[in-house]
Amino acid sequence: MTDLISMTIAEARNGLANKSFTSLELTDAHLAAIEAARALNAFVLETPDKARAMARAIDARIAKGEGGPLAGIPLGIKDLFATKDVRTTACSKILGNFVPPYESTVTSQLWRDGAVMLGKLNNDEFAMGSSNETSCFGPVVNPWRREGSNSSLVPGGSSGGSASAVAALLCMGATATDTGGSIRQPAAFTATVGVKPTYGRCSRWGIVAFASSLDQAGPIARTVRDSAILMRSMAGHDPKDTTSVDRAVPDYEAAIGKSVKGMKIGIPKEYRLDGMPAEVEKLWTEGAAWLKAAGAELVEISLPHTKYALPAYYIVAPAEASSNLARYDGVRYGLRVPGGSIGEMYENTRAEGFGDEVRRRVMIGTYVLSAGYYDAYYLRAQKVRTLIKKDFEDCFAKGVNAILTPATPSAAFGVGEKGGADPVEMYLNDIFTVTVNMAGLPGIAVPAGKDTQGLPLGLQLIGRPFDEETLFSLGEVVEQAAGRFTPARWW
Ligand code: GLN
């Protein structure tokens, strides 16, 4: 019997098309894998009945030769995506048992194309975090462990459930979102591929908002090809999201295997940090050599405002979050904690419903937007954002096709190890990824090697606006050179 859970989406697509197995068999195999992997805490809600019903329906469609591009493929959905009649919480107590009466645009496009939903995946509360430790459902465990150790590592965040589930073969791919690195950092920590599309490429409608000018949905998958397959279904114009862009969705998969000969790849000198682990530095050099061997030209570039990106992000993102999260007041959805007056009810609800990190962001955001501080913080951060964007534009104007950087400054770390005393320690995880959100650009994280403890490390490629195709072509070159990495099963 074929091993039904370790296939790629591309392989499963072929198997389903030539009737080697059914979607129901494929779905059942994944449901069994999920059940056996509860120790990872990757799923916050399993939807086996819905999954089987969807699989049966798609099997009937496949039999009639009517399956779509994702016909019969079982996926996991980050709990930030509203799913009709299926509990959606953003992993926050404040949403309680909220069951949306509507479906997010991105997930509705996946179902339109024939995918099957296995359940909802864990994430940091409201997607605020880099380790999946802020979830009200508790931390997710990374299927990867340090060699010779059995201590639990984080899968990164905020899309920690998505990354962990895809790496552990619990689903063939997953949806994720990225506001400052939440797709690419967990992908790098778990040896999966994560794509943060250009701002406006995927609709944000029906996704719980964190920082609306930065949020983008994207896929996490096990190969570059699989992420391209998922992207094609997720992307597209949506009149319900005014920031979504009306532009044809290319066949991203067709970019795989395209020659990268003559492409100019920028290596930004500002990303060479003091104290960066030697193995990250080495991997970066190796990645550049792989692209060069494939015919690309490597050029040193400068992105001079890089050092201001993280501080500016931690003004813009909390500012937008404080405004977006104002709607959780105990009146309309989720938790309500009574009080003597309506004001007290708001206070009690929000104090009880939000976790520490979310409260911190709301307070910072409210502060930087308040009269008297707005110009000093928020307005200045917006100006810095423009300069960061201009740094990239200047490089692209000089003919640079894409930029190669490490995805993260380190490999996965232990549960409870970072950010306890100083939240900035956690924020530093996103040092290489936030710039991309600030500039609205597409980025991909591809597994590229391992550190001395046997943990995966990833490289990031940053592209021109709406040129995800180049990232898929280059990403596949890295994947071919590096090989694929699978964690040894212990759960
Ligand atoms: N780690 C970053 C933050 O906490 C980014 C999170 C994300 O991309 N959603 O803000």
Side-chain angles (χ1 to χ4, degrees):
M1 173 94 176
T2 336
D3 171 6
L4 291 177
I5 60 169
S6 50
M7 279 179 293
T8 63
I9 292 174
E11 287 161 358
R13 185 177 58 184
N14 294 341
L16 286 161
N18 62 33
K19 315 255 188 309
S20 303
F21 44 83
T22 63
S23 175
L24 187 59
E25 287 167 334
L26 194 61
T27 299
D28 273 330
H30 284 91
L31 290 171
I34 292 170
E35 222 182 292
R38 297 217 173 105
L40 300 177
N41 202 26
F43 279 83
V44 295
L45 183 71
E46 298 168 20
T47 54
D49 295 340
K50 187 176 171 73
R52 290 195 184 98
M54 287 175 96
R56 281 196 193 95
I58 196 69
D59 277 334
R61 268 168 61 186
I62 295 173
K64 284 193 263 170
E66 289 170 3
L70 287 173
I73 303 295
L75 302 177
I77 302 300
K78 184 177 183 178
D79 206 28
L80 220 63
F81 291 77
T83 40
K84 189 173 187 295
D85 302 331
V86 176
R87 191 191 71 187
T88 301
T89 69
C91 297
S92 178
K93 248 168 86 180
I94 209 156
L95 270 162
N97 286 318
F98 175 59
V99 177
Y102 52 86
E103 186 79 28
S104 85
T105 299
V106 163
T107 48
S108 71
Q109 290 173 182
L110 295 171
W111 317 141
R112 171 202 68 197
D113 288 351
V116 168
M117 178 166 90
L118 294 166
K120 303 297 291 285
L121 294 159
N122 209 336
N123 52 253
D124 277 298
E125 184 179 5
F126 284 106
M128 297 174 191
S130 302
S131 62
N132 215 116
E133 292 170 291
T134 71
S135 164
C136 75
F137 295 101
V140 174
V141 177
N142 193 328
W144 287 88
R145 285 171 161 180
R146 295 184 181 114
E147 259 157 31
S149 155
N150 57 10
S151 64
S152 293
L153 302 181
V154 302
S158 65
S159 312
S162 307
S164 178
V166 171
L169 314 180
L170 311 186
C171 53
M172 309 203 90
T175 64
T177 61
D178 191 313
T179 304
S182 278
I183 293 177
R184 293 158 289 157
Q185 184 254 17
F189 277 14
T190 55
T192 54
V193 177
V195 184
K196 189 291 240 194
T198 310
Y199 185 78
R201 182 68 288 190
C202 294
S203 170
R204 290 181 297 107
W205 195 83
I207 300 173
V208 176
F210 165 7
S212 306
S213 77
L214 301 159
D215 298 344
Q216 253 309 280
I220 291 185
R222 287 195 287 272
T223 65
V224 175
R225 180 180 295 275
D226 283 4
S227 64
I229 294 172
L230 291 173
M231 255 295 285
R232 192 182 184 186
S233 294
M234 293 172 75
H237 178 236
D238 177 10
K240 290 195 291 233
D241 172 3
T242 50
T243 63
S244 109
V245 173
D246 192 359
R247 233 180 129 109
V249 179
D251 177 2
Y252 292 116
E253 202 182 349
I256 310 257
K258 269 215 179 126
S259 169
V260 302
K261 223 176 156 142
M263 277 191 192
K264 231 172 160 177
I265 310 299
I267 306 286
K269 61 171 192 245
E270 290 79 6
Y271 283 54
R272 196 155 278 124
L273 302 178
D274 287 342
M276 188 156 84
E279 44 215 305
V280 174
E281 178 94 41
K282 183 171 155 268
L283 189 82
W284 194 10
T285 312
E286 237 164 43
W290 293 331
L291 296 177
K292 196 165 176 203
E297 182 197 343
L298 279 301
V299 289
E300 187 175 275
I301 58 166
S302 173
L303 299 165
H305 296 91
T306 300
K307 62 173 177 292
Y308 305 115
L310 204 64
Y313 170 86
Y314 275 99
I315 290 171
V316 174
E320 293 185 20
S322 72
S323 163
N324 273 326
L325 270 55
R327 74 190 71 176
Y328 304 104
D329 53 9
V331 176
R332 280 162 294 186
Y333 11 56
L335 183 77
R336 175 182 300 174
V337 182
S341 63
I342 186 153
E344 222 177 272
M345 187 277 283
Y346 290 158
E347 285 170 16
N348 293 349
T349 301
R350 289 168 67 84
E352 171 79 24
F354 290 141
D356 289 349
E357 185 58 31
V358 174
R359 281 210 291 269
R360 176 167 22 236
R361 307 278 179 121
V362 170
M363 284 192 276
I364 294 172
T366 310
Y367 179 78
V368 299
L369 288 176
S370 57
Y373 295 103
Y374 183 91
D375 291 359
Y377 292 104
Y378 185 70
L379 206 61
R380 186 176 287 191
Q382 291 291 28
K383 287 180 183 162
V384 170
R385 184 174 183 180
T386 304
L387 294 173
I388 291 166
K389 187 159 177 278
K390 193 172 167 295
D391 282 354
F392 283 105
E393 283 163 1
D394 289 347
C395 290
F396 295 138
K398 285 185 201 134
V400 168
N401 296 94
I403 295 163
L404 179 74
T405 78
T408 55
S410 74
F413 45 89
V415 174
E417 203 176 283
K418 269 194 188 176
D422 179 9
V424 175
E425 199 186 12
M426 190 65 82
Y427 299 169
L428 283 168
N429 266 284
D430 299 315
I431 192 109
F432 299 137
T433 48
V434 284
T435 50
V436 177
N437 302 74
M438 293 293 265
L441 301 172
I444 188 171
V446 183
K450 287 189 189 170
D451 74 354
T452 48
Q453 299 180 297
L455 295 178
L457 291 168
L459 285 171
Q460 170 177 240
L461 285 150
I462 305 167
R464 296 178 176 186
F466 296 99
D467 189 15
E468 283 83 2
E469 286 160 289
T470 292
L471 300 185
F472 288 122
S473 303
L474 292 165
E476 205 242 0
V477 171
V478 171
E479 183 178 63
Q480 288 293 325
R484 282 176 53 200
F485 308 89
T486 317
R489 189 171 162 190
W490 54 263
W491 55 93

